[in-house]
Amino acid sequence: MLRTASLSATLLLLALLAVFAAAKVDDAGFGSKYLWHSLDDGLLAARDSGKPAMVLIHKSWCGACKALKPQFAASSAIEKLSQQFVMIIAGDDDEPADPKFAEDGKYVPRIYFLDSEGAVIEGIKNEQGNPNYKHFYPTPDGIVASMSKALKAKQTRPASQEEL
C-alpha cells in the first residue's frame, strides 16, 4: 500500500514537472528575469489575476528587435513594472493573427497593452515615436511610460456590472 502511494506521488510529481517544463516560454533574449507567457496562456493568466498584459511581438531576424533586446533585458524600470503585468512574448511563428495586434501594420517590434479581459487599452502608444508606427518602441523609456499609463488606465477604468 505504501509502495503504491509512493509510486502515485512520484508519477504525479513527474506529470506536474512535465506541464511546467512545457509551459516555459523562451525569452528570445528579452530577459530571463521576466515571467514570459505565450499569448493564450498569458490571456488566461491576465483574466485569472486581474492584471493588465503587455504583449511584445518580435521576429528573430529583425534588426530593431535585436537592438531592443539587451536594453529591455537590462532595464530595471521595466523589470519593476513587469511585476504588475502579465508579460506575453510572441515571435516568429507565434505572431498573433488577431487584427487588433496589427492596428497600424505588422512592423516589429510591436508592443500592445491589454486589460485583464484581453481588450487593447485604447490610447496607449509610444508618445515619442513615429505616429505611423504607434506600437513601435525602440528604447525602454517609451515602454516604461506606456506601462505606467496602462497601470493608470486600469485604476481609472469604470467598474463593470459584475463588480457592482
Side-chain angles (χ1 to χ4, degrees):
M1 181 77 139
L2 184 58
R3 189 180 204 155
T4 304
S6 177
L7 180 60
S8 295
T10 301
L11 289 175
L12 179 61
L13 180 59
L14 288 173
L16 287 172
L17 287 173
V19 168
F20 286 118
K24 180 159 174 43
V25 175
D26 182 15
D27 69 26
F30 284 96
S32 60
K33 60 189 170 189
Y34 302 101
L35 178 58
W36 292 110
H37 296 270
S38 66
L39 181 63
D40 291 339
D41 290 344
L43 292 174
L44 289 173
R47 190 173 333 141
D48 290 347
S49 68
K51 291 180 178 181
M54 184 182 108
V55 181
L56 170 58
I57 303 166
H58 71 95
K59 298 290 184 184
S60 60
W61 48 260
C62 164
C65 300
K66 290 176 185 178
L68 180 60
K69 287 177 185 185
Q71 297 176 67
F72 192 103
S75 174
S76 58
I78 294 175
E79 181 182 9
K80 183 177 179 182
L81 286 167
S82 75
Q83 303 303 310
Q84 299 175 67
F85 286 85
V86 173
M87 301 293 283
I88 298 172
I89 192 165
D92 293 332
D93 298 332
D94 299 327
E95 183 171 355
D98 191 322
K100 73 181 178 186
F101 295 111
E103 171 193 356
D104 56 352
K106 289 193 165 196
Y107 53 86
V108 285
R110 297 190 306 282
I111 297 177
Y112 283 85
F113 294 90
L114 311 179
D115 65 21
S116 61
E117 297 301 314
V120 173
I121 302 172
E122 296 298 323
I124 299 187
K125 61 185 180 190
N126 184 1
E127 298 291 341
Q128 299 121 9
N130 183 327
N132 294 322
Y133 305 103
K134 299 174 193 165
H135 303 281
F136 176 72
Y137 294 83
T139 64
D141 292 342
I143 298 168
V144 168
S146 288
M147 290 175 90
S148 297
K149 193 172 180 181
L151 290 173
K152 286 179 185 152
K154 179 184 184 249
Q155 294 169 352
T156 60
R157 199 178 94 207
S160 70
Q161 294 291 18
E162 293 174 14
E163 294 169 333
L164 295 176

